[in-house]
Structure formats: structure tokens, C-alpha cells
Amino acid sequence: MDPILQTEGLTIAFGAYTAVDDVTLAVPRNHFKSIIGPNGAGKTTFFNLLSGQLKVTQGTVKFKGQDVSALPPFARTRLGMGRSFQITNVFPKLTVLENVRLAVQSQAGVRFHMLLHYRSRRFRVFEEGALHLLDMVLLGSRRDTLAMHLAHGEKRKLEIAMLLALQPDLLLLDEPTAGISLEEVPAILEVIRRIKSEGDRTIMLIEHKMEMILDLSDSITVLFNGKLLADGTPEDIMNNEMVQTAYLGGLYDDAVASQGHADVY
Amino acid sequence: MDGVINLLVNGLATGMLVFLLAVGLTLIFGLMSVLNFGHGGLFAWGAYGGVWLYGVTGSFVAALIGAVVIGMALGWMMERWVIRPVYGNHVQQILVTLGVMLVLSEMLKVVWSPNPLKADVPPLLSGSWEIGSVILIKYRLFVIVIGLLVFLAVQLVLKKTKIGLIVRAGVMNKEMVQALGIHIRTIFTLVFMVGAGLAALGGALLAPYSGVIFSEMGMQFAILAFIVVVIGGMGSIQGSMLAAILVGLSGSFLAYYLPELSLAGNMLLMVIVLLIKPSGLFGAKG
Amino acid sequence: GNSGSEAKTETKTETKTETNQTPTATKESEPAKELPPVKIGVLASLTGALESYGKQTVRGFELGIDYATEGTKTVAGRKIEFIVEDTETKPDVAVKKATKLLETDKVDFLVGSSSSGDTLAVLPLAEEYKKVMVVEPAVADSITGAMWNKYIFRTARNSSQDAVAGAAAIAKQGVKIATFAPDGAFGRDGIAAFKEAATKLGATIVEEQYADATATDFTANIQKIVKAKPDYLFVVWAGANTPWKQLQDMKVQEQGIKLSTGAPDIAALKTMQELTGMEGFSVYYHTLPTNDVNKWLVEEHKKRFNGEVPDLFTPGGMSAAISIVEAVKKTNGDTNADPLISAMEGMSFNTPKGTMTFRKEDHQALQSLYAVKLEKQDGVDYPVPVLIRELSPEETAPPIRTKP
Amino acid sequence: MGRNPVQLGGALVLMVLIGLPFVTDSRSFLMMLTQIFIFAVFAMSYDILLGYTGIVSFGHCMFFGVGAYSVGVMMNEKGAAIGSLLLAILIGMVLSALLSYIVGMLSLRLKSHFYAMLTLAFSGLLLVLAEKWRSVTHGNDGFTFQVPELIKDRTVLYFIALVIMVLVYLGLRRFIHTPVGRVLQAVRENEQRTESLGFEIVHYKVLASIVAGITASLSGSLYVLTLRFVNTTVFSMDMTLNALLMTIIGGVGTLIGAIIGASIIEFAHHWLTELAKFHPIFERWIIFFGLLYILVVLLFPAGIVGTLRSKWHKYRKARPQDTDPSGVSTESESQGKKVNVS
Amino acid sequence: MTLLQVKDMQTFIEQYHILQGVTMDVTPGEITVLFGRNGAGKTTTLRSIMGLQPASKGSIHWKGESIERLATYQIARKGIGYVPEDQSMFYDLTVGETMRIAMRRQDDRTMERQEWILNVFPDLRTFWNRKTGLLSGGQKQMMAIARAYVNDNDLLLIDEPSKGLAPIMVEKLMQSIEMMKAKTTVLLVEQNFFMAQTIGDRYYMMDEGKIVHQGSMQELRNNGEIRRKYLGIA
Ligand SMILES: Nc1ncnc2c1ncn2[C@@H]1O[C@H](COP(=O)(O)OP(=O)(O)OP(=O)(O)O)[C@@H](O)[C@H]1O
Ligand SMILES: Nc1ncnc2c1ncn2[C@@H]1O[C@H](COP(=O)(O)OP(=O)(O)OP(=O)(O)O)[C@@H](O)[C@H]1O
Ligand SMILES: [Mg+2]
Ligand SMILES: [Mg+2]
């Protein structure tokens, strides 16, 4: 089967600085790929190129076999690519429910309907769908709160709910659990795992929590200074010396050794 | 050729005057992001104050200084009483500053009568030099000099001190600036006062230039100031300078070569600049 | 400058007994109980840019009523009441206020207004309510031209009369004239009319310049004018942002070009020091006309408004009042429009500016205007218009421009 | 039962307004109300932009003016028949739609301040055009024109304006509660996020400005019908400011606020100018008008309707027993919004 | 002696009772860690101390002096630095400009501190002239820490500093906080339990606006019960 996503020599330069440098990558369908790399390696920028927030300087992005490099973000979303943002990005003065409802509406393809009330019977399902998703990310009790009044971690969950609402074929998750409390991370992971196990989704994940990555990923890509440093199975990557020194650092091993796996997140 | 030189010199002088009108707004609107529709009022008060003080004291310097003081005093009151509660909210700013504008320009009539007043050029600066058929009007040259001085002074202060940075940071995130130990309120008040003072200075300098002042002058020139600030790129002093000079030059050259368009000159200039460079001449991208 | 309010408060007390009423008036007030008062609605700009014009009109109007009724404020046995409304120089406000005057106050006449736009907007109401409207001091030709209806009379002079007067003051065979005006209906119409009149007198127009009335810099226009080397520069201007200073800066007069324009009101004359020596025309200055009405006006005005002399549009307001009183006299107190119109068409009446006559065809009052020179006078802090010659009503009669 | 008292009040006011012409014969009062209705339509159209899409425009008068001149010119040239009047109004709307489409496409990609100034420039250019095209517009002096007999009656005009205001209100309210309307609010809150949800924001912004433009054009047409006169002031900055002030005073993003705002401004204007006749201090009534703006902002930060609504909701929250199961809070809570030009 | 003493602090946001009596002490030279689930009120606690969300009840004492009525800038000038959870970048200003604003004084000591922190986060030096809004997530976090650190503060309030940092940076951060410890006391909100337990001295556990548990970090490390109950880890 064709890979769902393929990049070819993907490059973006901000003036003299090349943030993503000639990255060629293919992600098969129903795959779980994680992207790791030091801060400033270009991971988020790479996502921005995939989702269209930034325009490529060079190279192409192919999604489902189609060259999407020139398409604006909304068009890529409609093709089935969805993303969450690293810096929380919600509609601050709309309620939590409305935030998600809008995503559900978009997923249903209701874009230019100007006659019926948005809560009419025909569109009621959007709200129901949204409520269901909120329950899933443990935000059901805060449906009527304005998004701006949420605590940081709650906003992260909202962000995830909005992404899930889009039911994308390819999910781009940019540090989804950053700021989510220890206690609730497992529940969020459970959601992600479930999506993966449902089997028809491809997930790309940026994270710095190694245990989580090792636990979930089929393969790992390492970015370094904008370049693709390595791409392989979790074991390969963990054994990569470069990754060890430049990304993980010394303490990591001690931590895993002394605390055991699950303890760290 | 001489004609062109005349157009150039006078266009430049007008540009410099326009810069002086706009520089206060560059601070208040460009830097502090306060949509100040009352700017014209401050400016008109500067003009009336200057003319009045010149009449009373007979000293043009005293008149200019007095105008600045009047402007700053008005700025102080305005900032404390009406602007402070509406920082960061442009919608509310529009309303309160329009209110201030009405009050200021009506008060002019109460204080100085609704009639236009004559504004004299001080003897030292009146008259002109003639070189061939080029006429160099002394007062306009004086305005060019003052314009340059103000430009340099404002630039220097913004470059040498942290004030410009603090104001910009304060607009982006007031809380964080305070958490760094900066009393942002005082600084905003100060900058607003300086902006108001400069507006008044612009008014006081314009008065002898056109020879007559009137209470509606405020709104008339305020729009021009907004145009300059925006096409210059919000908050950029160089941008305002360049935009003002463009306005001045395009005004005089259009009137000479394409008079049919001169009524639309400033608006066309703005359309062209913004369509080519959406964030203004010196504006940051995005 | 509180006088405007005095005028207004007085109008409100009009119905109460007046202290300065003559015994005859008191006698006459008995039949007045049966006859309803003659009501007049005065529209004027009392705020905004034309505020001072509006106030002049109101003062003049009030004086005019007193003059024409010899202080009785009664005509043909009917009391006269007038109500002043502020149009704020906004057409929609003018219409609102006019409707209020016509509907609520049930006025018999409208008078006004200070701006042409406001006046034009009110014209159809006069027709709708069949009430005579005396236009004062709005100047646009179209008021007695394309937009005219038979209820409209105008005591003010129109643009064309100004232009004819302006031309008469300077245009002669072989004279080269350049013109300068704001780019807009007022400036363009004014220059067009001037051009017509001036060429008729044998002058040639060598350059026409129009500028944005709100511009800061008029240098380019002035340069072009200088380049055309005219004998005269005729300027039509309105609004406070005047070009005089810049004309002086650019040494227009030093290059042998004489300036000419219409002399404005006193406040504006004060800002025209540079124009001392200029030849032009004037609609009114209190020393220009020599007749009894004007004498009365100057004295009475000084008395009532602590020593101030009447200004540019004061006699206009007075003329409007006189014309109404005279018309009602002629109809014997009938204020229905048709008899009034027949009475007023062709009617001549004495005003501070001499005799005016409402022309039959377009109801424009033909009137004297004045060719003047601005001179410096001792004890006066502005250049004073001094009479060169009076331009007779016939001489300044404008073309008839009503729609066929 | 959350809305009911308000709805009841609204219905009551409407009944009074309908009955008014039968009890009062003060046509100047009716005329003032007619003006309020018309400006309310204009202000509501602006609220669609400012309140619901977060677009600040300084050139909204351009659509008002287009509607105004369409009617004026048509009546003047083609004569005063109902048919040509309707056609003129339609032409005005079509032209406005076209104009807002072009202006929108050209400039809605610009960041807010710059967009606002660009609209100012476009409306300025239209003003110059109206000034210069004197064979048709008679420039700044303007021209008067005849209207169909039927519309000459101020009572008829009153009802027409009232009906149109109510219809526009209902129409726009429905519009903002449709899926499109919700997306507009999303655009207002966060453009980038809206786009990444799969909505093309420029389309929505242009759509909003077309809807606003058409509505504004309608109000412009009505406006000159009451005056039977049109001049270039319909393209002036003052007109835009009128819409802005009315919207903000009433409360942006409330629609009904636009109506309240229009009423407040007109009534305040009326009373203040009346006062000017009685007390000399009110001769400079504009000062009090200015103070009114300032006071409104200081006392009602979210506009009159906006602030009252959020007070009401706080009061309701303080009594948890009657919480609203329908979750109406979507609209009500978003009142304190700050729409920023930056 | 305690450096910062918070007693029964209660904070409302609009009508919501967010903090319902927070009592805690911060001892000089120690690293105090604040735990709690999302929405527990950790950030609000820090903001209330900073005066950004003034407490309506209770007292806050700084070196024995009451500061709960002071304005934020006055509190900051007393020597308290703040790293907010959303990093609060001045997105249009460059790294260099941000540092310039942050410095309350421009003396040698401050320059020294700047040098030191730039060595910890060399990225900041590399991108000295880049607008902070364009930095990567982790770089923003570094910027926020450097901005608070550069002044000679006695206490740093740090809200989830490890969030978004690569493991190697977390490690560096831990080392540097430990090094800061000599000069600066730290009140830390942290979800990264590994980091917290490594460097923390004392902990407070929050839930629903109240402190529900407290003790030395050593105890928490060994108390599986509490860890399971409040942190969900074995
Ligand atoms: N618009 C831009 N202009 C200039 N430089 C940029 C821009 N966007 C990103 N960068 C730079 O590109 C580099 C990569 O940034 P990016 O956000 O992709 O990093 P990242 O891998 O996501 O890091 P982190 O893990 O910290 O989030 C950084 O050095 C950043 O400063
Ligand atoms: N401006 C606000 N208006 C209303 N409620 C608010 C506001 N800010 C925060 N809250 C509420 O206060 C509670 C505590 O928020 P706080 O940000 O302090 O939590 P936190 O412990 O820092 O959570 P996190 O781990 O997610 O950052 C949350 O329930 C939140 O919804
Ligand atoms: Mg990133
Ligand atoms: Mg928090």
C-alpha cells in the first residue's frame, strides 16, 4: 500500500537559517511514528510544513498520493490531516463545548449553511458528538466554561478533543501531554492508544517523554538541526549513540534504571 | 527645473510638518496601540495654546514650550481618567477617544470663540530667501529643522533607553512586564504624555505655517496622522518619517502634474503602499 | 460669544408680554387673541463649522422682525413668533428639524439655512407642506436653479451673483485672470460662473487651479498660477483652512499678480492681514451701504450686542425677516402659500443693502453687491473693505437656471 | 425561561411601536424613530463585522453611500415609481455586494489595523468619486429628488423602516446562529485555529462583509428616502463613526445592542439639542455628548446590552437552582469580549 | 526562618472561589515543589503570590513583611522572579531585547548571571537577535527561565519549567536549578516527578484549591500510598 504521507527533500529557510533541511520521509498507513529531537531541531516547523501553516521553500509533501505542498491549511484538513498545536491554540472566548462543536461541524462538512439554526435537529448531532469527545478527554464537566478560563492542562485536553473531532486519517500531535498532570496522562494515552488500535488512523507524535514514545511508536524519526538524523525502530534509535549524547543525555539511563519504566511519567 | 526644486522643498517641508503631526500618534497608536481618535484634539489645543501664548508672551519659544506643556497636561488627564481603563481594548478606545475629541474641540470654542484665529510667524522666521526663482520660505526651513530634531530626539530616546522596548512589551503582555518589576503604568502615562505633547507641538508649529487656526482643524489632520502612522508601519519612527515625506512630496507633485488626482492623493498612496506592503513601509512582517 | 443663546432664549419668551411694547401694540394685541400668530421657523447652523454664520443670521433675523414691525412684533394684527433650530450643518438633522418646525410648531414660513446642503435637503419639505421658505444665506445656484420649487425665495445672493460681482470688480478688456478654488461643487460652480461673467467683460482666464480644501500645502497650485503670469488671481474660498498665508509666502503679489476675492466676515478678515490692498467684492460690510435701514441696523446691533457691529450675514437675516413681514402685510395677514407667493413674486423691499427684488422667474432676490478694496485703518485690527463702487442689482443679476 | 422576560419586553416595545402612529400625530417624533430604525439597520450591519467576525472597518459608509446614491440617482433620472425604487434598492445591494467582494478580496488578507485603514482609503476614494462625478451627483451640494407618492407619507415610511428593521434583526440573528455564523465567531476568536479546523477564513470574512455590505446598502437607501435628498455626506467618515458608536454603545456582538445604541444616540442628541434652547450651558451640548461616550464606556465596559446581560448572568449563576439546561451561555458569556484591532 | 510564608490564602476569579485557603512556607535555600492535578490551583497560587491575581483573604509574608497588598511590580522588586506556565513571550521582541528589559540593573553581577544562564541555554545566545515569538517551544521555555533568573532574585516561582524540554535539557535544567539553589530559593510547580524528586527538598500537594498534603520530598519518595493517590504512580 502507498504511504499515506511522503515528504521529498522538504526544506524551509527563514532568511539564512534553514529550520528544516532536506527531509525525506515516508509514513505508511496505520503507522505510529514519533518524532524526537533536541529543542529547536525543527520538529514543530516540520509539522507546520505538513499541515500548511508554513510554505515550503523546497521539496514536496505528498498526502494520500497527492502533492499538497501548495495547499492552504484548511484544504489539507479537509483531505484528512489534523493537528494539535504545541502552544495551546483554542478559541478563548467560546465555550469548551463550542470549541469542539466547531471541529465536529467542520468534520461533517457543514461550511456554508446559512439557513438553519446551528442547534436545529439536523445539527444537534454535532453537539452530541462534541459532548462525547469531551467526556473522553475528561473535560465533560467543563463544557460551559469559556476556554480562556481553563487551567493550562485542561486546555491541552481540549486541544486533543478538537483534533479527535476532526477524525483525521493522519493525526499530527505536537507534545499533546505537555502540562497534563501526571495522574491524567495515562487516560490521555489511553485515548491515543485506542485511536491507534482502532486501526485506521496514522499518527505522528512529537514528544519529549521517551517512555511514552517507546511504548507507543512503531518507528521513530530523529531530527537534528533540521536534518533527518535517523529513522528506525525504537530499539535502533535508543541504541543510536548520537541520540544518546545529543538528545537524551546522561541522566536518562540512570532514571530509567533506578525508577523503572512507568514511574517517569 | 526651479519649479521642481520648489516642489521638492515645499513638499519636504509639508512632509516634515506632517511628520510632526504624526510623531505623537506614532508613540500613542503605533507603540502603545491606543486607537486615539482624540489626537486631533490635542493637536488643535497645541495650535490654539501656542497662538495664545505667543500673543501673550511675545516669545515664540515660550509659545512652543507652553503648547507642549498644555499638550502634556491634557495627555496626563486623558490617560489617567479615560484611557487607563481601556488599554488593550480597541473598541472601547474608539468610543472614549471620540468622546474626548468632541469635548476637546468644543472646549476650544468655549475658551477661544468659535471663530478662526490668526496665527503669526515670529519676525525672525518670517519672509523668505529667493535663489533664482526658487523661493525658500524661512518658516518652512525652520519646520524642517525642528522636524529633524524631533525625529533624532525621539529616535535617540527609543534607542538609548529601554522605554520603547518596555512599552512594546507592555502592550504584548502587561502582566509579565510587571512581574519583571517594572511599573508599567507610570511608563504608559509618561509615553502618552510625551505623545500628547508632541501632538501639541505639531499643532503649535502648524499654526504659523497656515496662518490661521480653527476648531475643526483637529479631526481634519488626525486622519492624515493615522494614514502616516499606518503606512509608515506601526510604531516605527523612521517609517513615519518616510511616510510623512511621501505624503508631502506626493501631495505637491500630484497637485502640479496630475491635479485631477490630488483630491484622492493620500488615499491612493495608502492603497498602493498597503497593497504592496501589507504591514506598512517599515512594518514587521506578519 | 453667548449672544446666540440670548437670541434663542428671547424667542422662547416671545409669547409673553414684552416690556418695550408701545401702547398701540398693546391695543393691537386684543385682536391678536383671535388671530393666530404668524410662526416662522429659522434653520441655522448654531454648532459646527458654520456656527458663526448661523448666529449672524439669527441676530439679523431678530433685528429684522423688530425693524419691520417697528418693535411691535405684530403684522396685520398677528403676532410674530419665531423658533430657531440648529441644523448642525448636517442635511439629515436639517430635515428632522424642518419637519419638526412644520409639523409640531406648524410654522408658516421657513428661513435658512447656513449651508447649501442643509438647505437643499429642506427644499422638498417646503413644497410638500406648501410653505414659503426664504433661503438665507445658503449660496448654491441650484437652490434657485435645478432644485428650485415655487415655494422657495432667496434673500441671500447666489454663487453666480458673487461671481458676477467678482468679475465686475476686476474683469476688463484684455485683463488676464487666473483662478483658484477648492475642488468641489462650491469652488467649481463659483469659478464656472465667474469665468462666464469675466469673459463676457472681455477678460481671459489663463489658469484654473483647484485644490483640496483641507490640504496643508498649496505651493504646487500657486506655482502654476505664477507661471501663467496673470494680472489678477481670483480666489473663491470657503472654510477656515485658507491659502492667504501661502500666497504671501510664495510672493505672488510681489510678482505683479493682484489678488482678488470676496471679503468674508470680520473674524476671517482678521486672518487676512496679507491681503491688504486687494481689490475684490463684498456682500456686506457695515460701512458699505448708505441707507437708513443699515444705519438702524448698525446702531441697534451695537446697542444690543455690546458694541459689536453687524457682520457679513446679519443683514441677510434681517432682509429675510423684512421680506416676510412685508409679504404678510401685502396679503393682509394671509399666510397661505399661494397668495404669499403672488405677493412676493416681483416684490421689492428695503433692506440694509438697499432695495431687493424677488425676481419672478426664480425668486432670487436681486441685490446690490460692492466692489471693494481692503485697506488698513487705524484702530481696526483687520483690513477694512472700502467701497470702490456699488454694483447695482441689475449689474449683478445672475442668469436664470430653473428647470424649464 | 431565561430569555422570556427579555423577549416579552421586546414584543411589548414592538407593539407600542406599531401602535404609536395611531396615537401620536407628532410626525417629527415618528421621523426620529424612523431614523433610529434606519440607523439601527446600519449599526446591525456593522455589528456583523465588528461584533461577530472581529473585523474593524473604517469605511463602512461606502456601502451606505452606494445604497443612498443608487436610490437618489435612479429616482432623479428615471422618475419616482415604486418599481424603479425597488430596482434601485436592489441595484444598490448588488453593487454593495460586488464592492464588498472586491474590497474584501483585495484587503481582507491584511492584518486588522491595516485592513481598517485600507477600507478608510476605499471609502475616501468613493467620496472623491462622488464629489467629482458632478454630472450625476452634483457633488457636495447634492440633489433632491422625488419619491413615489406612497412613500411620501411619513407614517408609511415609518412602518416600512420598522418592518425592515425587525426583518433585518431577525434575519441577522438567524444568520449568526447558523453554522456559518458560528464559524464567523470562531474567526473572530482565532483565525489560525479556524483555518486549521478546515474553514477557509477569507471566504468567511468576505461573506460577512458582503452580508454587512448589503444590509448597510439597504439602510443607506432607506436613509435617503426619508430625506429625499442625497449628498456626499453619506460617504463621510462621520457616517462610519455613527455606525461604530451605535454598535459599541449598545454592545458589540449583541445585534439588539445596535438598536439600543442607535436609540440612545438619537435620543441623547435630541434631548441635548433641546436643552440647548433652555440653558445657555447646553449651548455647547456637544461637550455633554462627548462625556456621554466616555461615561458609557466607563460604566458599561461591554456596551449597554453586553454589560447588562453579563450582570444578569452573574446574578443567575449566583442562584444555582435555576441553571439553564440549554447552555445558552455560549452567547451570553462571550460578552466581555475585547475585539482588538491588533 | 521562612522566606515566604503564605497563610490561608483565598483567591476568587470573578465569582469562582479558586483558592480556598492555601497555607505554605518556603524555606530559604530549599527547593519547594507544588504538585497537583490540572485545575487544582497551582498556577493560581503562584499568581496570587506575585500579585497578578490578588488574594482576597489570607496573608503573604516575605521575609517577615506583609506583601499581599503590594502591586506586582513592587513584589517583583522585592526579589521574586516569575516563570509563567505559558511562557508569556514578548513575541515581537528579540531574545536580546527581552533580556535587556528583564534586567533591573545593568551591573556586573547581572551581566555575570546573564553569562551563566546563557551558558546553560546556549540556544539563546545563538538566536540572540531572533524574535522570541519565533522560537521553538523549548527555546521559549529557556527564554522564560533566563528572563526570570537574570536578576538577583531571592526567590524564583517557576511554573512547569520542564514542559517541552528535551530530556537533555531537562537534565541541564535540573543541574542549573540545583546550582541556583545556593543563591536562589525556588518554588517549583512540576509534573515531571522524576525531576521533582531528584531536586526537590519539600513538597506540597494541592487539590481543588487546597493543600491536601505536605512533607519532605524524601518522605514522598518513599510513600507509595500518597504517590498512588495523588500522582497516579506506583
Ligand atoms: N518563523 C520563523 N522564523 C525564524 N526562525 C524560526 C521560525 N520558526 C522557527 N524558527 C526556528 O527554527 C528552529 C526550529 O523550531 P521548531 O519550533 O521547529 O523546533 P522544535 O523542534 O519544535 O523544538 P521544541 O522541541 O523546542 O519545540 C528554532 O531554532 C526556531 O527558532
Ligand atoms: N480566568 C479564570 N476564570 C475562571 N476560572 C479560572 C480562571 N483561571 C483559572 N481558572 C480556574 O481555576 C482553577 C485553577 O486553575 P490553575 O490554572 O491554577 O490550575 P493549575 O493547577 O495550574 O492547573 P494546570 O496543571 O492545568 O496548569 C481551574 O479550575 C481553572 O479552570
Ligand atoms: Mg516544537
Ligand atoms: Mg497551571
Side-chain angles (χ1 to χ4, degrees), chain B residues 224 227 247 250-251 254 262-271, chain C residues 212:
Chain B
L224 191 61
I227 291 177
V247 165
S250 76
L254 266 189
S262 64
L263 216 50
N266 292 335
M267 296 301 176
L268 280 177
L269 184 69
M270 183 152 76
V271 169
Chain C
D212 181 355

Side-chain angles (χ1 to χ4, degrees), chain E residues 73-115:
Chain E
Y73 76 97
Q74 290 166 317
I75 296 174
R77 283 182 192 173
K78 300 238 174 250
I80 305 183
Y82 179 49
V83 181
E85 70 178 340
D86 64 355
Q87 298 133 5
S88 295
M89 287 294 101
F90 307 128
Y91 46 87
D92 248 0
L93 301 187
T94 64
V95 173
E97 288 168 340
T98 306
M99 290 306 274
R100 190 154 162 234
I101 290 188
M103 289 179 188
R104 280 206 285 277
R105 266 176 242 99
Q106 227 137 356
D107 51 13
D108 290 348
R109 286 238 339 245
T110 314
M111 296 320 274
E112 229 171 79
R113 288 173 80 92
Q114 172 169 311
E115 276 309 298

Side-chain angles (χ1 to χ4, degrees), chain A residues 142 149 151-154, chain E residues 13 18 38-44 85 191:
Chain A
R142 312 227 53 174
H149 292 159
H152 181 79
E154 294 167 325
Chain E
I13 301 181
I18 306 288
N38 294 135
K42 307 179 292 294
T43 300
T44 310
E85 70 178 340
Q191 303 285 5

Side-chain angles (χ1 to χ4, degrees), chain C residues 7 43 75 86 108 122 134 154 187 245 265 279 306 317 331 366:
Chain C
L43 296 164
V75 62
D86 181 6
D108 303 300
V122 175
V134 180
R154 166 149 65 184
K245 177 77 177 33
D265 62 348
E279 284 174 27
N306 50 59
T331 60
L366 302 182

Side-chain angles (χ1 to χ4, degrees), chain C residues 42-58 84-90 94 111-120 122 133-140 143 156-157 313:
Chain C
V42 180
L43 296 164
S45 297
L46 300 176
T47 48
L50 301 180
E51 169 170 341
S52 47
Y53 292 175
K55 288 183 172 161
Q56 289 165 23
T57 304
V58 172
V84 181
E85 291 289 348
D86 181 6
T87 66
E88 301 166 35
T89 324
K90 292 175 188 154
V111 173
S113 150
S114 312
S115 101
S116 294
D118 295 358
T119 309
L120 280 164
V122 175
M133 172 169 188
V134 180
V135 174
E136 174 67 43
V139 73
I143 293 171
R157 83 299 175 216
F313 292 132

Side-chain angles (χ1 to χ4, degrees), chain B residues 178-248:
Chain B
Q178 285 172 295
L180 291 172
I182 295 165
H183 191 22
I184 188 78
R185 226 201 229 179
T186 319
I187 291 185
F188 269 28
T189 309
L190 208 76
V191 175
F192 195 94
M193 282 171 67
V194 171
L198 285 173
L201 177 68
L205 284 166
L206 175 95
Y209 188 103
S210 60
V212 47
I213 55 175
F214 48 100
S215 51
E216 278 79 26
M217 65 193 292
M219 205 57 191
Q220 194 168 311
F221 290 106
I223 291 180
L224 191 61
F226 270 100
I227 291 177
V228 166
V229 174
V230 168
I231 62 182
M234 300 280 297
S236 161
I237 300 290
Q238 296 109 297
S240 292
M241 182 55 119
L242 187 62
I245 289 175
L246 267 181
V247 165

